[in-house]
Amino acid sequence: MALSKRPYKGTRDFFPELKRGQDFLFQKMSQTAHLFGYEPYDGPLLEEVDLYRAKSGEELINDQIYSFIDRGERHVAIRPEMTPTVARMVAQIHREVTRPIRWFTIANLMRYERPQKGRLREHWQFNCDIFGAPEGQGEVEILQVAIALLNNFGANEKHFEIRLNDRKIVDYTFNQLLKIDDEKALKLYKIVDRATKVSKEALDKMIDELGLSDEQRKIFSDYLSLNSFGDLMQFLAGSEVATYLPKFVDQMEELGYLPYLKYDPTIVRGLDYYTGMVFEIFDKHPENRRALCGGGAFADLLKIFDETPLAGVGLGLGDVTLMDFLKVHNLLPSFERPSNDLFVSFQTEEAKIPALKLAKELRSNNLNVITTLEPLKFKKIFPAAEKKGARFVAIFGDKELENNSVQFKNMQTKEQTELSLSDIDKIVEYLK
Amino acid sequence: MALSKRPYKGTRDFFPELKRGQDFLFQKMSQTAHLFGYEPYDGPLLEEVDLYRAKSGEELINDQIYSFIDRGERHVAIRPEMTPTVARMVAQIHREVTRPIRWFTIANLMRYERPQKGRLREHWQFNCDIFGAPEGQGEVEILQVAIALLNNFGANEKHFEIRLNDRKIVDYTFNQLLKIDDEKALKLYKIVDRATKVSKEALDKMIDELGLSDEQRKIFSDYLSLNSFGDLMQFLAGSEVATYLPKFVDQMEELGYLPYLKYDPTIVRGLDYYTGMVFEIFDKHPENRRALCGGGAFADLLKIFDETPLAGVGLGLGDVTLMDFLKVHNLLPSFERPSNDLFVSFQTEEAKIPALKLAKELRSNNLNVITTLEPLKFKKIFPAAEKKGARFVAIFGDKELENNSVQFKNMQTKEQTELSLSDIDKIVEYLK
């Protein structure tokens, strides 16, 4: 039986058009990180499962992780996310390096998902993290990086918004206002997380099951209705927890980022890392209401390695959701064709060596040159060159061979120019 | 118990210095591929094991592959190489696209190796393949790509050599000259492959076990002694198989690549793909006698998908052996420090917002700007900026704040220049 030609379920074959699109995303990610002085890192594809067990949710370990026992009896997993890896790596060096530590990566990750729009089993994720920044400043910078990245693709506050919250505010609401115990608080956290994803009825049912008093229900309902930083300040009414967020919002405003921000009481993110600010970036387009980026502040990621606490702030942004976002807003160029500087053709076997020699010389001058490898009929040259996105075509006919010259055609202007093969510099200049 | 901070056995933590080095390799690989008009592709991290079973060696499946049963009862493997994936992908599209198909990738791969110099469990590999090229021309181009890549790092024929052979020559020797059956031929293939890796005694012992006649031993010994293309031509003495290689060598000579080539009868590569030319690139440095690149021509990779034959030529080059090669020849720049255009510092809390605003404006002009996030004492500014590889430093002192200006220092010339914050264009020009 013939083998299947399909890729493994939930993964993608990146044919050149798709790969050029992905490279476009990666290039902007890397460029944006460098704009802020973030340094690149990467970690292994496999980590020991214990690393995820220590910090990620049980759901991840039980249902979503690709794990197996290796030939040396180690229980390992294909990395489903980069945060545990970056924490492990920072734990090795944080005592010796200058702070803040600013790192980024673009890594392939796998989760055992049911494939659906915006969610695949294999995806690539851009991660930026800052460790050891002064209080509140890492948060500002990480949000700036996220905004700058989307700005770099041509997106602005008309296209996306940053919904943010602070885990300290949620904790304050649960502990100080609702006065519920930890067990109930954990359940309520999950309810908050689900609040915008389920129907009003389902939400009410979940709350009913908790057995809150009327007063508690009223406070919780008020909390879920908060819709702006102004609302929030009233709700918190001068409590200590209300001092940090206004300072942060002020700084974002002074830097001109307020139009991007929206307070959202339902943003809590996963329960395992975050201890401070949390955020998710949403597409404003009605057809694509998925978060395309998320992140937040964590106080003690290094604890599992017995290291002293080191506060951090991070973001993660996946290639699948980003691509959906850019597509729906028409922010992508076409990746159908490659780009080449020159398409070198020849029409006779005798012209092959001179043609290939010219290609060699031009490549050593950093020109991207694609050649035919056998004589090509004249009428086939230009369609072939166009498919390869060539800016120029070189034609080696009999006459040119005799003259030791080559005929160039500019594919845009259609102008033709004959240049001598003995003056490579002139050819390079012409083609640049 | 605290978790281990070490990476999984045989894998690497890419801290920024190491990752900058790797990115340097990747950038040259991608640039070189584009010089020849190769288009990028990538495939999934996991493939079904059947794909490797169909074409790779049994050794790979039994001993070297990371395979497991997924939650849907599929037997899958982390990709140990890219050739089966590229074959699977090309099988999907080869009937619709113009030939030749020129593709490249830089992909992370895993093999269950015993970690040692030049060999790790996880590595990255640059793969270039050309499918459907006219006979002999794909071979020339793929070798050109390999040479151009190493040339791009500053390496030349003093640093490396390409040892090549042709599987057709080996087959001719075994079938026509030695006249041995397929079973013996297979054993002899393995002996040839091991010939330079074991002692003379061990080699003789392996040959003894085959029970060859004296005449056969003589011919085989003559074969193993071939040391040049001239030797080879004499040995083949006008047989049909001797017609192709001289043409290939002539073309390489005309293009100026002969100094890189060496005929080597012991190069046969793995037994599963290759059917024509095979090659390996060796470091000439005595301390690093490992192959750093290998490849060859294959006639029927698509057969396992029930597709019509499509000839191809490919190369694979790993990051670990390449890095060793470049290190031993001092062909690497330093990756210790990042590069940034500007380090923005401020000495008082009041200067923070103006400083961060300047950074924002300059980043939108594509300058890489790293900022302090809290007031920094004057004497700490320059050491910090130097560590971050900044070309310029911006200083916001009290006097500058009053003047709505900023003091710039060129870190190389040590010159200082005060510029007004109201003229961003002038600042951008100064920093470029």
Side-chain angles (χ1 to χ4, degrees), chain B residues 155-260:
Chain B
N156 57 41
E157 70 273 18
K158 289 198 290 285
H159 305 102
F160 69 92
E161 68 184 6
I162 303 178
R163 300 189 194 156
L164 59 84
N165 196 5
D166 195 304
R167 294 287 288 263
K168 291 197 186 71
I169 292 169
V170 191
D171 287 342
Y172 169 80
T173 305
F174 290 1
N175 301 332
Q176 306 293 314
L177 301 181
L178 294 179
K179 298 189 171 64
I180 53 177
D181 60 26
D182 286 357
E183 196 190 326
K184 265 191 187 162
L186 192 66
K187 285 182 184 157
L188 210 50
Y189 251 117
K190 289 188 178 160
I191 293 175
V192 172
D193 188 40
R194 307 280 302 151
T196 59
K197 294 164 193 138
V198 299
S199 68
K200 175 88 179 66
E201 290 70 33
L203 181 66
D204 285 342
K205 187 162 170 284
M206 287 192 284
I207 300 171
D208 285 345
E209 285 166 3
L210 270 187
L212 299 180
S213 70
D214 286 354
E215 199 197 334
Q216 285 173 320
R217 282 199 77 132
K218 169 78 173 59
I219 296 171
F220 186 59
S221 164
D222 287 350
Y223 171 77
L224 282 185
S225 311
L226 299 173
N227 199 26
S228 69
F229 293 111
D231 281 1
L232 175 67
M233 288 306 115
Q234 273 196 307
F235 180 78
L236 299 177
S239 79
E240 204 177 310
V241 74
T243 58
Y244 155 70
L245 205 68
K247 259 173 67 184
F248 166 80
V249 173
D250 280 355
Q251 191 173 333
M252 289 297 283
E253 181 170 19
E254 287 186 287
L255 293 172
Y257 295 116
L258 203 54
Y260 290 102

Side-chain angles (χ1 to χ4, degrees), chain B residues 187-369:
Chain B
K187 285 182 184 157
L188 210 50
Y189 251 117
K190 289 188 178 160
I191 293 175
V192 172
D193 188 40
R194 307 280 302 151
T196 59
K197 294 164 193 138
V198 299
S199 68
K200 175 88 179 66
E201 290 70 33
L203 181 66
D204 285 342
K205 187 162 170 284
M206 287 192 284
I207 300 171
D208 285 345
E209 285 166 3
L210 270 187
L212 299 180
S213 70
D214 286 354
E215 199 197 334
Q216 285 173 320
R217 282 199 77 132
K218 169 78 173 59
I219 296 171
F220 186 59
S221 164
D222 287 350
Y223 171 77
L224 282 185
S225 311
L226 299 173
N227 199 26
S228 69
F229 293 111
D231 281 1
L232 175 67
M233 288 306 115
Q234 273 196 307
F235 180 78
L236 299 177
S239 79
E240 204 177 310
V241 74
T243 58
Y244 155 70
L245 205 68
K247 259 173 67 184
F248 166 80
V249 173
D250 280 355
Q251 191 173 333
M252 289 297 283
E253 181 170 19
E254 287 186 287
L255 293 172
Y257 295 116
L258 203 54
Y260 290 102
L261 302 188
K262 184 170 169 26
Y263 177 71
D264 186 335
T266 68
I267 302 293
V268 291
R269 307 280 301 155
L271 294 189
D272 306 286
Y273 302 142
Y274 300 109
T275 55
M277 187 200 74
V278 281
F279 70 93
E280 291 185 3
I281 300 185
F282 281 83
D283 190 344
K284 286 185 169 177
H285 196 287
E287 279 175 31
N288 186 35
R289 306 291 287 181
R290 268 202 111 89
L292 63 136
C293 175
F298 31 80
D300 55 0
L301 265 188
L302 306 192
K303 201 177 169 183
I304 53 175
F305 307 102
D306 264 0
E307 294 287 332
T308 47
L310 178 67
V313 189
L315 70 80
L317 177 145
D319 68 334
V320 181
T321 42
L322 177 60
M323 194 55 104
D324 286 345
F325 168 74
L326 297 173
K327 261 185 206 153
V328 86
H329 293 292
N330 285 314
L331 292 171
L332 291 172
S334 166
F335 302 110
E336 195 190 333
R337 287 178 181 178
S339 344
N340 282 290
D341 294 310
L342 180 67
F343 182 90
V344 171
S345 68
F346 49 91
Q347 294 171 263
T348 59
E349 194 61 40
E350 295 72 54
K352 183 167 81 179
I353 294 297
L356 295 184
K357 274 186 176 170
L358 174 68
K360 182 189 173 190
E361 294 250 32
L362 295 176
R363 286 174 186 136
S364 69
N365 283 281
N366 280 322
L367 288 159
N368 294 342
V369 182

